[in-house]
Amino acid sequence: METTLRITSARAGSSFVAGIEKISGQKLLACYQCGKCSAGCPMAAHMDVLPNQIIRMAQLGMRDQLLAAKSIWMCVSCLTCNSRCPKDIRIAEVIESLRLTVLRSGQRDDNLHIMELSPDACAVLPPIATISAMRKLTS
Amino acid sequence: MGNENKPMKLAYYPGCTLKNQAVNFDASTVSSMAKLDVEVEELDRWNCCGTVHALNSDNVMNRVAPVTNLIRVKEAQASELMTGCAMCYNTLKRANIDVKSRADALATINDFLSLEKTKYEGDVDVLHLLEYLRDRVGFDNLAKKVTRPLKGLRVACYYGCLLVRPKEVAFDDAENPMVMENLVRALGATPVDFSHKTECCGAYHTVDKPEVIADRTDKIMGSAHGERADLMVVSCPLCAFNLDFRQDDARRLNPDFRNMPVLYFTQLMALAFGCDEPSLRFDLQHIDPLPVLKARGLVQETLDRAPA
Ligand code: SF4
Ligand code: SF4
């Protein structure tokens, strides 16, 4: 990712960073980039930005890149990262707050279009699958 | 265990999927608990728990559905609720912990539920069935009820995410839980040690990204095969769907993939307690467990699939 960043104290206090910290209840600056979250992430192979990179980019207020990342929809809230982070950061909560930032924008920018699923798919899926997917991926 | 003549009563929350695709989980729970002299009483007017615990800390709306169920427990004159579904357990338990520790959140929810006659005051406990079996029944007592020991059966116990994470809800070690292995051993079977027992199955990605699940299923079942397991037991209907039904996709992804039956731990318990086919409902399994159970001499030729 080719991005030039200018780091100033004003940027670090941007409303985006404050919003993510508020929704997630996490202190982003606690992360010291050990990478343990990404090492154990079962979805890492399907991600464009790894969990530790998400935390770094969130610290830096890289709003547009984060909200466009495929990773925020691939994270499945398994909480492996949370339970292993030596700094007790709840990475999954940070990623949930990124999803919510998109889903609460009022644009109905959903990541799942349940009405477009084939009747065959709908016939076999248990309610636990469809309800949880809709809860996580739709506004 | 209670008085010999009087079975103990326990408020029971089945959850939506146990009334749909996973009636084998429901039936085997009720019948095996009866063998343990515990009468599970399905909660009156229960509603969906919401399936997932919302991870945001700025909105309590998603705690309303779980809390409504906890109000129903109080209305049933009970103080604890048992569920076997790992996802319901996680969601109900986390909401309970959250409202117990945040008086303002609880007040907001009680205000929202102003039409309910009963107020929730954080006075109900949520238990998982495995926790109940270990701590209340005891595996030594449970072993005494075994009439058909599952001798020689090699079982991979899969926990997934929801029984062990986050630590507030875990009733066993997060990285190497053993409660299911100890249950399986009490039933006379042999638990196998495999690397992927707490690795996520991919969960709800099964709805629109089955290829992601195929990859997870291939790795998880592959690791159990590596330890020569005959079958896998689970506690979550979403894990069960992914690890059982998505084996077809795993085989398309990896031609060397080998099928393995996936059962609910309660089905294994019901089998060992001598329950009959209507309590087992093996006909609902995608990968048929009967060949391996027959090979181990654990079911008769007469216990056949699909009662008409
Ligand atoms: S595990 Fe924690 S401290 Fe390490 S990189 Fe991830 S968020 Fe940062
Ligand atoms: S919660 Fe999300 S980011 Fe963390 S390990 Fe699981 S899938 Fe990866």
Side-chain angles (χ1 to χ4, degrees):
Chain A
M1 188 176 302
E2 289 195 27
T3 306
T4 307
L5 271 180
R6 200 176 301 278
I7 302 172
T8 69
S9 53
R11 175 122 209 165
S14 76
S15 64
F16 170 71
V17 178
I20 294 304
E21 291 202 331
K22 176 164 189 286
I23 300 173
S24 67
Q26 302 305 300
K27 293 261 176 289
L28 295 170
L29 287 174
C31 168
Y32 55 16
Q33 288 294 307
C34 68
K36 196 160 183 173
C37 49
S38 302
C41 173
M43 291 297 136
H46 306 280
M47 287 181 170
D48 47 359
V49 184
L50 294 174
N52 69 305
Q53 296 173 317
I54 291 176
I55 301 298
R56 176 59 104 216
M57 289 163 73
Q59 290 172 339
L60 296 172
M62 297 170 71
R63 179 183 186 278
D64 297 347
Q65 292 91 332
L66 279 172
L67 299 188
K70 181 180 163 208
S71 299
I72 66 175
W73 307 106
M74 290 313 301
C75 163
V76 72
S77 302
C78 74
L79 309 189
T80 307
C81 51
N82 288 14
S83 82
R84 293 180 183 168
C85 172
K87 297 289 288 177
D88 280 333
I89 299 166
R90 298 190 161 209
I91 300 99
E93 273 78 340
V94 174
I95 300 177
E96 177 114 324
S97 69
L98 293 165
R99 280 191 295 271
L100 286 173
T101 303
V102 175
L103 296 174
R104 288 177 181 178
S105 69
Q107 306 297 310
R108 308 288 328 224
D109 208 358
D110 291 355
N111 195 260
L112 171 72
H113 299 279
I114 203 102
M115 300 307 281
E116 289 166 19
L117 291 178
S118 73
D120 287 351
C122 293
V124 296
L125 286 169
I128 196 170
T130 41
I131 300 169
S132 54
M134 289 172 70
R135 288 284 307 276
K136 284 289 192 178
L137 306 174
T138 68
S139 51
Chain B
M1 302 299 302
N3 178 316
E4 289 301 311
N5 316 316
K6 245 179 147 186
M8 290 192 47
K9 288 201 178 186
L10 181 62
Y12 166 56
Y13 180 89
C16 306
T17 303
L18 276 77
K19 296 296 172 185
N20 289 281
Q21 280 87 341
V23 295
N24 43 2
F25 197 1
D26 188 29
S28 55
T29 297
V30 174
S31 53
S32 51
M33 291 302 274
K35 296 275 184 188
L36 292 170
D37 302 320
V38 183
E39 189 185 325
V40 294
E41 271 197 323
E42 189 170 320
L43 198 62
D44 201 27
R45 293 173 61 213
W46 60 268
N47 54 265
C48 173
C49 67
T51 65
V52 285
H53 177 79
L55 298 176
N56 56 298
S57 50
D58 65 339
N59 184 348
V60 298
M61 199 59 204
N62 294 317
R63 313 285 188 259
V64 171
V67 167
T68 311
N69 286 307
L70 302 177
I71 288 176
R72 301 285 170 261
V73 180
K74 288 184 68 172
E75 288 172 348
Q77 316 299 326
S79 60
E80 53 188 23
L81 179 65
M82 178 279 283
T83 181
C85 170
M87 204 167 212
C88 299
Y89 165 74
N90 193 284
T91 305
L92 293 166
K93 178 113 175 176
R94 291 199 72 179
N96 199 25
I97 292 170
D98 191 41
V99 300
K100 277 187 190 199
S101 63
R102 291 201 296 152
D104 58 327
L106 183 57
T108 306
I109 292 169
N110 274 325
D111 282 349
F112 185 81
L113 295 172
S114 59
L115 294 179
E116 295 287 346
K117 288 191 192 68
T118 308
K119 295 284 160 224
Y120 189 57
E121 290 155 323
D123 42 354
V124 169
D125 284 327
V126 178
L127 292 170
H128 189 269
L129 175 54
L130 283 166
E131 190 182 16
Y132 185 88
L133 294 172
R134 181 191 62 189
D135 301 340
R136 303 289 179 82
V137 177
F139 291 141
D140 290 346
N141 286 326
L142 185 143
K144 292 179 197 146
K145 303 286 178 178
V146 172
T147 57
R148 196 171 356 179
L150 306 177
K151 210 166 170 309
L153 188 69
R154 295 178 62 83
V155 181
C157 300
Y158 176 79
Y159 295 79
C161 308
L162 299 159
L163 296 178
V164 292
R165 293 186 289 269
K167 57 176 172 290
E168 305 91 276
V169 308
F171 50 89
D172 205 346
D173 188 83
E175 299 286 348
N176 190 21
M178 290 302 286
V179 54
M180 262 198 275
E181 279 84 348
N182 292 335
L183 168 66
V184 159
R185 211 173 277 122
L187 301 176
T190 306
V192 305
D193 190 14
F194 73 117
S195 59
H196 279 52
K197 69 179 178 182
T198 60
E199 284 273 329
C200 176
C201 71
Y204 54 81
H205 282 323
T206 201
V207 173
D208 66 337
K209 301 176 194 73
E211 67 287 355
V212 171
I213 308 300
D215 174 51
R216 300 304 303 158
T217 297
D218 180 36
K219 295 211 164 60
I220 293 165
M221 304 312 283
S223 106
H225 264 302
E227 302 300 333
R228 296 179 294 112
D230 293 322
L231 53 80
M232 182 174 282
V233 289
V234 300
S235 170
C236 171
L238 184 49
C239 300
F241 179 77
N242 287 344
L243 298 176
D244 188 6
F245 283 75
R246 295 293 187 217
Q247 288 191 30
D248 298 346
D249 300 275
R251 195 145 15 92
R252 275 191 284 275
L253 180 81
N254 171 12
D256 294 330
F257 180 84
R258 284 181 297 144
N259 288 135
M260 180 184 291
V262 177
L263 303 184
Y264 292 106
F265 70 93
T266 48
Q267 287 178 291
L268 213 56
M269 202 159 56
L271 180 67
F273 292 164
C275 297
D276 51 6
E277 174 55 20
S279 311
L280 300 169
R281 293 300 306 270
F282 289 147
D283 57 301
L284 295 174
Q285 253 68 31
H286 185 63
I287 305 297
D288 185 359
L290 292 182
V292 59
L293 294 174
K294 282 177 184 164
R296 294 286 184 195
L298 298 173
V299 294
Q300 317 289 312
E301 292 299 321
T302 50
L303 184 72
D304 265 324
R305 280 180 78 86

